[in-house]
Amino acid sequence: MEFLKGEFSIPENFKLDENLPKQETEYFKKRLGSSFIFSYGKKDEGVHLVNSLFPAPSKEDLQKKEKYSIEISSGGIIIWSNTKEGYFRALQTVIQLMEQYKAGKKIPAMKIEDEPRFAWRGMHLDVCRHFFTVEEVKQYIDYLAMYKLNTFHWHLTDDQGWRIEIKKYPKLTQTGSKRKESMIGAYVDDTYDGKPYGPFFYTQEQIKEVVKYARERHITVVPEIEMPGHALAALSAYPELACTKGPFEPAAKWGVFDDVFCPKEETFTFLENVLAEVMVLFPSQYIHIGGDECPKTRWKECAHCQALIKKHNLKDEHGLQSYFIHRVEKYVNSKGRKIIGWDEILEGGLAPNAAVMSWTGIKGGVEAAKSNHFAVMTPGSYCYFDHYQGDPQTEPNAFGGFTPLDKVYSYHPVPEELNAEQSKYILGVQANLWTEYILDFKQVQYMIFPRLFALSEVGWGTSKPENYKEFENRVVQHFKILDKMNINYAKSIYNISGKVIPDPKGVSYELSTSQNPDGIKFTIDGSEPKPNSPTYQNPIPVSKALTVKSAYFEHGELKSAVSSQDFSTSKTTGKKITLEHQPGENYAFGGAFTLVDGIIGNVKQLGKTWLGFQGTDVVATIDFGQNTQFSEVYFNTLDNKGSWIHLAKSAQIFISDDNKNFKLIKEIGKEEIQSSKGKLNLKVGNQNSKYIRIKIENAGVIPAGNPGADSKAWLFVDEIGAK
């Protein structure tokens, strides 16, 4: 972007070249219609907006479908592009400029040259856990268009509901589009509303309507039909496709279930018939076939599955999953399309032409790219918008995790492990919105805005994490646009953000806000902050149990939610800690220090105060700094099997004076951990040591009969204390 001399005065009657692409220009007029008067005219009649082709485009330029340039001068606005896509992306920039400068009615003269870095810039929407109307889905697509995203991933089938009409199999929507009730509140509460949900689904005519609407905005709709797992809604309609006889019903609970599609010929016939209808409705190059979280419990017990493994000389049930995906891919390829699936489709070997959507971390994307397969990066730790975006105590109930705006903005989609040639296989980036805890469209808006702003810049290739504050200022400016559109966006960046930092006497609590820091008021006695409460200036020392409450005020008026944090200190608080194994990306907030920061985890909010380890033990070594006496050690682990979180198998406590030779002083087994429900306060006798090491053993592989059976269990730990 280059500023030039002069300015363009926005006229009362804004004339558009009559030769502009009609569909895109009508969109432009509709977006700005309430603020400007538009008419059409001939180019030589003094029009204010024209579109021209780039001069003599090269073959490379023709491939850059979304590339554009804009020149604004006293004479008007000229857009250069070689495609309607490029013209449409340019219009989004012009709309933003006209919105920004309409009050003064003058836009500075400038020249903009622009193109995206990534070809796939996507947003996902789960309509299975909670359903959204055609009009709401259209609004969602409009949001993507406004910020130059180009892919809408529509999650249409799952355990909790089948949402797409398939004419050959009417029971899919007659039976599979409704459930007897829905889970409500925090997962650990295991409570239900007792209200029938549905029938909710989209007719094929409605699907066509949405696809056309998206196409007019140059957005590709990628449908997802889940297989072989997440299939309960389908099996409730056609139980003969399962390994057992059922009966089945769409799930009222969130999570993962053992009953999945059985890989028999009638199942493949069914899926091919379903996909045949899907591919008629969706012209996208890629068809998403899920492939994630498929327990192998039923396959292990199924005579047909075991015979199939032997017949095709497959290694095990993971090999059977690969066989399943290969079969489906062969059919989809025969129709001139390609499959994309979650990174579990890598199990047992990737299908020849498949692309991977890397969600469990970046590993799946790295593995795909290194084997010359395309990948879309959507790691949960950066791109799951069902996670908390602010302090969990001030946010609506969410799935878990902690993914604030600055973390989304900091994401680099191309993994560092890839060389230049391998990096070409990273198609782009996508954020996902799973709707277990999102009951209505207002909450959809709340969860995607303003994080969608960060995603758009990451996907376009313009995000600069080192300039985050500058980005944050622009976000606040765009809130005005959202206000005008009556969008219910999250104002979490106004709220007080708290961070525990080491302190010579233990820890201190550092407060910050995107606004004037002089507006932060706080208390440490548990009372509510008021305009005359102390003004925050320096990190608050925490040397004993206390509650810090904070809020942001302007001119004596409360502008933020009240943030509250309880501290419970011990002899380990603030001490140096090292971990032998690192936590999973989604649950690594604060790193090892989280275990000695003086904060006891909230079992209903896994966002900031727990560390999660999948398949690995917690081996934490704490350096007291000097020989220290203690007689009790405490820590908490979680039991939430529906989310694959299991209590520890055992725990051991060691002491050392040199960090080399460790002596075991306490050991407990599974029974004691289970009887305490994971809340452990262990008497260890009178001890005096410089180091303490706690080893908490992961449950290992999840046993049959549990959600996520055969997968690695998660172990969650909050605070390791000593008294």
Side-chain angles (χ1 to χ4, degrees):
M1 179 175 170
E2 179 188 356
F3 281 104
L4 307 172
K5 289 184 178 179
E7 58 194 16
F8 169 60
S9 296
I10 304 173
E12 291 289 328
N13 185 351
F14 196 102
K15 276 194 175 181
L16 304 164
D17 181 2
E18 62 185 12
N19 294 316
L20 290 171
K22 285 288 184 287
Q23 183 177 284
E24 292 75 11
T25 306
E26 286 301 309
Y27 167 92
F28 174 77
K29 286 169 59 182
K30 186 176 178 183
R31 278 284 310 277
L32 293 170
S34 62
S35 303
F36 301 93
I37 299 171
F38 294 99
S39 64
Y40 285 102
K42 296 183 184 299
K43 191 178 287 189
D44 56 6
E45 293 178 350
V47 295
H48 303 112
L49 178 66
V50 297
N51 181 55
S52 300
L53 289 175
F54 281 115
S58 65
K59 183 181 178 183
E60 183 188 28
D61 278 343
L62 284 171
Q63 290 173 339
K64 294 179 177 181
K65 297 184 295 182
E66 297 176 279
K67 179 181 177 181
Y68 68 87
S69 289
I70 300 171
E71 188 166 331
I72 300 174
S73 66
S74 58
I77 301 171
I78 302 175
I79 293 173
W80 281 274
S81 62
N82 281 321
T83 65
K84 290 182 178 180
E85 275 180 84
Y87 173 64
F88 186 75
R89 304 295 177 229
L91 287 180
Q92 304 302 332
T93 298
V94 174
I95 288 167
Q96 288 190 23
L97 288 168
M98 289 182 70
E99 291 259 0
Q100 183 176 347
Y101 291 105
K102 68 182 178 184
K105 297 186 177 180
K106 291 180 179 180
I107 304 177
M110 66 182 76
K111 186 170 184 179
I112 295 171
E113 294 182 0
D114 205 9
E115 63 181 288
R117 180 180 179 189
F118 294 105
W120 186 304
R121 305 182 306 283
M123 273 296 298
H124 152 289
L125 180 64
D126 164 20
V127 296
C128 302
R129 278 50 177 257
H130 285 98
F131 181 80
F132 304 98
T133 66
V134 167
E135 288 308 310
E136 289 168 339
V137 172
K138 286 181 176 179
Q139 285 183 55
Y140 197 82
I141 289 168
D142 277 333
Y143 304 153
L144 274 55
M146 283 171 63
Y147 293 98
K148 302 193 181 92
L149 275 69
N150 65 358
T151 306
F152 171 48
H153 173 175
W154 205 356
H155 184 80
L156 291 163
T157 74
D158 215 302
D159 293 302
Q160 293 81 11
W162 184 283
R163 306 295 181 210
I164 176 172
E165 177 190 24
I166 302 296
K167 294 188 184 293
K168 192 174 184 70
Y169 300 105
K171 286 194 286 186
L172 285 171
T173 46
Q174 289 169 2
T175 302
S177 71
K178 54 190 177 183
R179 57 180 181 257
K180 67 180 182 182
E181 59 183 352
S182 303
M183 200 173 196
I184 55 172
Y187 190 93
V188 292
D189 291 340
D190 198 25
T191 55
Y192 300 83
D193 60 9
K195 300 174 184 175
Y197 192 82
F200 295 129
F201 65 94
Y202 305 101
T203 66
Q204 293 201 358
E205 288 305 309
Q206 288 174 320
I207 296 278
K208 291 175 187 174
E209 183 184 339
V210 169
V211 170
K212 178 176 180 288
Y213 190 85
R215 186 169 58 243
E216 290 170 353
R217 285 148 183 78
H218 297 282
I219 289 173
T220 300
V221 184
V222 175
E224 180 177 0
I225 308 297
E226 272 275 15
M227 62 186 82
H230 288 291
L232 268 181
L235 298 180
S236 69
Y238 297 96
E240 64 272 18
L241 304 178
C243 293
T244 61
K245 294 181 179 179
F248 309 105
E249 61 181 5
K253 189 171 189 171
W254 319 135
V256 179
F257 302 91
D258 284 341
D259 290 298
V260 302
F261 284 121
C262 185
K264 46 193 175 185
E265 288 308 310
E266 61 188 299
T267 300
F268 291 116
T269 299
F270 166 82
L271 290 171
E272 287 175 8
N273 289 335
V274 167
L275 290 169
E277 293 193 31
V278 167
M279 285 187 280
V280 170
L281 296 169
F282 295 92
S284 56
Q285 179 186 16
Y286 285 101
I287 303 296
H288 203 299
I289 50 84
D292 64 312
E293 298 179 326
C294 179
K296 309 301 188 288
T297 307
R298 296 291 183 258
W299 289 359
K300 284 183 176 180
E301 300 165 348
C302 172
H304 168 79
C305 292
Q306 293 306 308
L308 205 58
I309 289 171
K310 289 180 181 177
K311 178 182 177 182
H312 294 283
N313 197 28
L314 304 174
K315 186 178 179 182
D316 54 17
E317 289 76 21
H318 294 292
L320 188 55
Q321 163 124 344
S322 181
Y323 167 82
F324 194 113
I325 300 299
H326 275 70
R327 282 282 303 261
V328 173
E329 186 195 45
K330 188 175 181 182
Y331 174 74
V332 172
N333 288 169
S334 75
K335 301 299 181 183
R337 308 293 188 88
K338 298 177 182 178
I339 67 166
I340 187 168
W342 305 110
D343 46 45
E344 286 96 329
I345 68 171
L346 288 158
E347 289 178 7
L350 190 56
N353 303 304
V356 169
M357 196 164 271
S358 190
W359 75 278
T360 57
I362 65 169
K363 185 180 175 184
V366 169
E367 189 177 331
K370 284 185 174 179
S371 57
N372 299 338
H373 284 264
F374 287 108
V376 175
M377 304 305 291
T378 179
S381 53
Y382 292 92
C383 298
Y384 267 44
F385 287 2
D386 55 334
H387 290 178
Y388 289 102
Q389 56 192 312
D391 183 345
Q393 295 186 64
T394 63
E395 291 286 317
N397 196 29
F399 187 84
F402 182 60
T403 310
L405 183 67
D406 60 337
K407 188 167 186 183
V408 180
Y409 192 68
S410 72
Y411 183 51
H412 294 288
V414 178
E416 292 180 0
E417 298 95 308
L418 302 181
N419 62 34
E421 189 59 34
Q422 293 163 344
S423 296
K424 294 176 182 177
Y425 287 95
I426 302 300
L427 283 174
V429 64
Q430 176 175 296
N432 300 327
L433 190 68
W434 303 99
T435 61
E436 287 94 337
Y437 299 94
I438 298 175
L439 308 184
D440 57 34
F441 195 67
K442 282 291 183 186
Q443 187 65 7
V444 166
Q445 296 172 334
Y446 185 92
M447 297 304 280
I448 67 171
F449 285 112
R451 289 185 284 195
L452 178 62
F453 298 159
L455 177 75
S456 70
E457 297 213 0
V458 169
W460 201 263
T462 55
S463 61
K464 296 178 180 178
E466 66 275 15
N467 294 339
Y468 173 73
K469 276 295 178 187
E470 185 267 342
F471 167 72
E472 196 175 65
N473 291 337
R474 289 188 284 116
V475 166
V476 172
Q477 291 303 311
H478 273 254
F479 283 169
K480 297 172 185 175
I481 296 172
L482 302 187
D483 285 333
K484 186 179 176 184
M485 297 177 69
N486 196 29
I487 290 173
N488 178 42
Y489 58 92
K491 301 178 179 66
S492 310
I493 62 172
Y494 289 127
N495 291 343
I496 308 301
S497 177
K499 181 182 179 183
V500 185
I501 58 175
D503 181 283
K505 295 181 180 179
V507 296
S508 290
Y509 196 43
E510 188 176 69
L511 302 179
S512 62
T513 175
S514 60
Q515 307 306 296
N516 181 355
D518 292 340
I520 300 177
K521 304 291 183 177
F522 74 97
T523 65
I524 58 172
D525 60 1
S527 64
E528 296 295 295
K530 295 181 173 60
N532 60 351
S533 296
T535 299
Y536 175 79
Q537 293 178 317
N538 298 303
I540 303 161
V542 179
S543 57
K544 62 180 182 179
L546 55 82
T547 297
V548 178
K549 290 193 175 184
S550 56
Y552 176 71
F553 290 83
E554 271 184 10
H555 309 298
E557 183 183 348
L558 180 65
K559 287 288 186 179
S560 73
V562 174
S563 296
S564 178
Q565 184 59 65
D566 296 326
F567 286 91
S568 177
T569 61
S570 82
K571 292 182 179 181
T572 62
T573 305
K575 298 297 189 274
K576 184 179 177 182
I577 179 171
T578 56
L579 289 172
E580 192 171 301
H581 309 291
Q582 295 308 307
E585 280 186 286
N586 287 6
Y587 299 99
F589 183 81
F593 190 69
T594 301
L595 300 180
V596 290
D597 63 3
I599 297 174
I600 303 296
N602 184 331
V603 297
K604 295 184 180 181
Q605 297 168 334
L606 306 183
K608 293 175 66 175
T609 56
W610 295 84
L611 293 186
F613 300 78
Q614 188 174 25
T616 58
D617 301 335
V618 174
V619 183
T621 303
I622 299 168
D623 180 357
F624 287 118
Q626 61 186 22
N627 274 48
T628 300
Q629 293 183 345
F630 61 94
S631 58
E632 292 179 34
V633 175
Y634 63 84
F635 59 87
N636 294 333
T637 68
L638 270 185
D639 184 13
N640 192 342
K641 294 185 179 65
S643 296
W644 302 16
I645 301 170
H646 288 244
L647 290 174
K649 192 186 292 184
S650 69
Q652 297 171 316
I653 301 171
F654 305 84
I655 57 172
S656 172
D657 288 328
D658 59 7
N659 202 21
K660 293 178 182 177
N661 302 295
F662 281 87
K663 173 187 172 186
L664 178 67
I665 60 169
K666 186 75 174 183
E667 184 169 16
I668 58 170
K670 189 174 182 179
E671 287 185 9
E672 190 171 346
I673 293 171
Q674 288 182 335
S675 66
S676 70
K677 297 182 179 179
K679 295 182 178 180
L680 294 157
N681 196 325
L682 306 173
K683 305 288 186 185
V684 295
N686 294 322
Q687 304 294 337
N688 188 350
S689 69
K690 188 170 184 288
Y691 297 91
I692 180 173
R693 175 173 291 170
I694 295 89
K695 180 178 180 181
I696 308 170
E697 187 182 4
N698 190 293
V701 175
I702 299 173
N706 291 279
D710 294 327
S711 299
K712 294 175 182 177
W714 282 89
L715 170 63
F716 271 68
V717 179
D718 64 346
E719 186 78 359
I720 298 173
K723 296 179 181 179

